[in-house]
Amino acid sequence: MKEINSFQLVTVPEGLEASVKSRAVTVKGPRGSLTKCFKHLAVDIYMTDATTIKVEKWFGKKKQLAAVRTVCSHITNMFKGVTKGYLYKMRAVYAHFPINCAISEGGSLIEVRNFLGEKYIRKVRMHPGVVVENSKGQKDELIVSGNSVEAVSQSAALIQQSTTVKNKDIRKFLDGLYVSEKTTVVKDDE
C-alpha cells in the first residue's frame, strides 16, 4: 500500500553550514566540508529554513519510504564527521611472523610486509580524505582517520581484506590486521 506522504526533518547543529542543491547535500564545519549526492534515490531533499533539512517521499511503497530515514542517517553522519571526525583503530595480530606496516605518501598509502612470512608487499591506498598512521603509544596499532564515515570504514576494510589467509585453516591462522575500536577524532568530554 502506498503512503501519501512520508517525511523526516534533520536539524543542522550549531556552528555548521548546510546547503542542498538538486539532491546534493553539502555540509561545512570546523574540520572541513563534505558533499554527498543522493540523486540515485527518488526523494525530495530541501531546506525548509536555515537550520532544517526536510527529506520527504510522496506516494511511496514500504521499500521506497525506507530511503527517507537512510538519507537522514547519512546527513547526520556527515554532521558528526565535520565536527568530531571518525577514527578507526586497527591491531596487527600474528602468531610467529611480525607484520610490518610502512606508511608512505603522507598517510595515503600503507605497505604491509612479512605477513605470514610472505615476500609479497601488500599495498593499500586510502580513500580521498583518509589518513593512516602508526600509533605512538601502542605497538602494532594503526590509526585510520578522516571526516567521512564511509571513506574511513571502507579504507579500514581494504586494509583488513588485504591480509586474508589463503589455503589454510582460518580457525588456526588468525594472523591479520583487524579493526579493534571505532571512535571519533575529537573525544567527548567525560
Side-chain angles (χ1 to χ4, degrees), residues 3-6 42 44 46 56-61 64-65:
E3 197 172 310
I4 292 173
N5 180 288
S6 170
D44 297 338
Y46 55 91
E56 71 176 339
K57 174 78 184 155
W58 291 89
F59 302 110
K61 296 211 170 106
Q64 298 160 333
L65 297 180

Side-chain angles (χ1 to χ4, degrees), residues 47-96:
M47 297 198 71
T48 51
D49 54 56
T51 60
T52 314
I53 299 173
K54 188 172 186 178
V55 182
E56 71 176 339
K57 174 78 184 155
W58 291 89
F59 302 110
K61 296 211 170 106
K62 192 179 176 186
K63 275 280 196 287
Q64 298 160 333
L65 297 180
V68 174
R69 174 102 190 252
T70 305
V71 171
C72 293
S73 299
H74 280 310
I75 294 170
T76 48
N77 282 344
M78 287 162 70
F79 291 151
K80 191 176 171 185
V82 293
T83 48
K84 294 182 177 176
Y86 288 95
L87 185 140
Y88 279 32
K89 290 182 181 174
M90 301 185 78
R91 293 292 293 271
V93 177
Y94 51 85
H96 188 275

Side-chain angles (χ1 to χ4, degrees), residues 87-88 90 101 103 106-108 110 126 131-136 141-145 159:
L87 185 140
Y88 279 32
M90 301 185 78
C101 297
I103 289 151
S108 65
I110 180 167
M126 299 294 100
V131 175
V132 62
E133 58 189 0
N134 279 314
S135 176
K136 306 281 189 294
E141 189 173 62
L142 290 172
I143 293 170
V144 184
S145 60
I159 296 171

Side-chain angles (χ1 to χ4, degrees), residues 118-133:
E118 294 174 12
K119 291 276 178 260
Y120 177 69
I121 298 170
R122 292 165 166 77
K123 292 181 179 157
V124 184
R125 189 166 293 285
M126 299 294 100
H127 276 239
V130 179
V131 175
V132 62
E133 58 189 0

Side-chain angles (χ1 to χ4, degrees), residues 138-158:
Q138 184 71 47
K139 181 174 164 279
D140 295 328
E141 189 173 62
L142 290 172
I143 293 170
V144 184
S145 60
N147 290 351
S148 167
V149 67
E150 279 100 352
V152 172
S153 55
Q154 186 66 58
S155 300
L158 288 171

